[in-house]
Amino acid sequence: AMLLFFTAMSALSFSGLYKHRLQSFTRVWWGWLFATGVVLGLVASSKWVGFFSVGLVGLYTVWELYDIFGQSRTRIRSYALHWSARIVALAVVLLAIYMLCFRIHFRLLYKSGPGDVPMDSLFQAGLQGTGLANQPMDNSYGSVITLKSAVPGVGLLHSHANTYPDGSKQQQVTGYTHADQNNNWVVEIMHSQARGNTSETLEFERNGNIVRLVHAGTNRNLHSHAIAAILNFLFFAPFTFGFDYPAEELANRKWLLSWNV
C-alpha cells in the first residue's frame, strides 16, 4: 500500500514539476522540485522497485538539462544553477530521506525474529535476543549446525522428506530463507573412521577435515553426484541419500571443511 501511494505521489509531483518547467526558480517551481525529491526518497525507501520512478524522473531531468543547454538565451551561471538545484533536490534530498528511513527502521526493529534469517550472521549477532551470541566459536563432531549460502537471498541449507520428481528421485535439498528445524545438520566423521578422543571429550573440527553432513530431521547424508540439477543443468543436484551406514557411493558424501583464517 505504501509503495502504491508513494508511486502515485511521485507521479503527481513529477507532473507538477513538468507543468511549471518554464517558471524556473520561482517559488512554485522550487516547491514542486523539492516535493519530487522528497517523494522519490520515500518511494525508494518503501521498496527497491520504487527506483523505477527515480529512473523515470532521472531520464527526464537529463533530457531537460540537455534542452536548456541548447537554448541560445541560456547563460553559464544560470545553467550551473539548474544543475545545482536538481542535484540538491533530486539526489541529496533523496539519499538523505533514504538513509533516514533505514535509520528509523533499525532504531525501531532492533530485536531478533524469524524475518532476520536471510541477513548475514554478523548483522543477526547485533540484534537483541538473538541466539547467535550464545553459540560457541568452534564446532566439534556431533554439533548441530546450520549452513548459510554466501549468495544473498538463497538462505540456509535445507532438506525435508519430499523427494525430487525427476533425476535422482532422492530427498530434496534446497535453500530456505526462514528459521526451521529442517535447516539443522549434524557434522559427523566418515564411515568406519574412529574419533581421536574418548566420548567424554570433544573433538573439534579443523580446516581441511573431511566430514559427513547428516540431516538432523531425517538422518540422511548430504550427497551429490553427476546428476544435473532440475532448475539449472550446469550444476550437479544435491540431495540426501542412505541412512547412517556405508553405501556403494561413499565418496560422494565426503565434504571438505575449508575456511579462511
Side-chain angles (χ1 to χ4, degrees), residues 40-260:
L40 288 179
L42 293 172
V43 73
S45 301
S46 300
K47 206 169 184 181
W48 281 355
V49 71
F51 277 101
F52 282 110
S53 297
V54 177
L56 175 63
V57 176
L59 289 174
Y60 166 75
T61 301
V62 171
W63 172 84
E64 186 181 36
L65 289 170
Y66 177 77
D67 182 65
I68 294 173
F69 180 75
Q71 297 174 5
S72 58
R73 64 178 182 275
T74 302
R75 298 293 181 266
I76 296 298
R77 182 178 179 181
S78 174
Y79 189 62
L81 186 58
H82 275 287
W83 271 92
S84 300
R86 287 161 176 79
I87 290 173
V88 172
L90 302 180
V92 176
V93 171
L94 186 155
L95 291 175
I97 292 177
Y98 184 78
M99 291 187 290
L100 177 63
C101 289
F102 271 93
R103 179 70 173 177
I104 296 173
H105 175 84
F106 291 130
R107 284 285 186 176
L108 296 177
L109 302 177
Y110 58 90
K111 294 185 178 180
S112 178
D116 62 15
V117 174
M119 309 302 291
D120 63 75
S121 300
L122 289 178
F123 175 83
Q124 293 183 54
L127 298 176
Q128 182 177 325
T130 181
L132 292 179
N134 301 323
Q135 298 297 320
M137 295 297 294
D138 298 314
N139 289 323
S140 62
Y141 286 106
S143 296
V144 179
I145 65 171
T146 57
L147 294 173
K148 178 176 291 183
S149 173
V151 179
V154 174
L156 299 165
L157 186 67
H158 177 95
S159 186
H160 41 244
N162 294 15
T163 59
Y164 287 110
D166 200 358
S168 67
K169 299 186 183 298
Q170 298 298 323
Q171 185 171 305
Q172 296 177 7
V173 175
T174 62
Y176 195 56
T177 57
H178 302 280
D180 190 271
Q181 291 296 321
N182 286 324
N183 299 335
N184 294 337
W185 299 82
V186 182
V187 183
E188 291 288 359
I189 59 175
M190 295 303 301
H191 292 294
S192 70
Q193 181 181 2
R195 294 186 182 177
N197 299 329
T198 65
S199 59
E200 288 77 20
T201 60
L202 296 177
E203 182 177 353
F204 291 101
E205 305 155 14
R206 297 181 179 181
N207 190 15
N209 284 164
I210 296 177
V211 300
R212 288 184 299 126
L213 294 175
V214 182
H215 187 239
T218 58
N219 198 33
R220 298 172 74 90
N221 295 273
L222 183 64
H223 187 98
S224 183
H225 57 207
I227 293 180
I230 294 178
L231 297 181
N232 192 331
F233 295 148
L234 297 178
F235 299 95
F236 292 155
F239 53 90
T240 58
F241 184 91
F243 291 90
D244 192 14
Y245 57 84
E248 60 182 12
E249 295 193 13
L250 178 61
N252 290 332
R253 62 187 59 174
K254 293 181 178 180
W255 300 93
L256 176 66
L257 297 182
S258 178
W259 56 78
N260 296 323

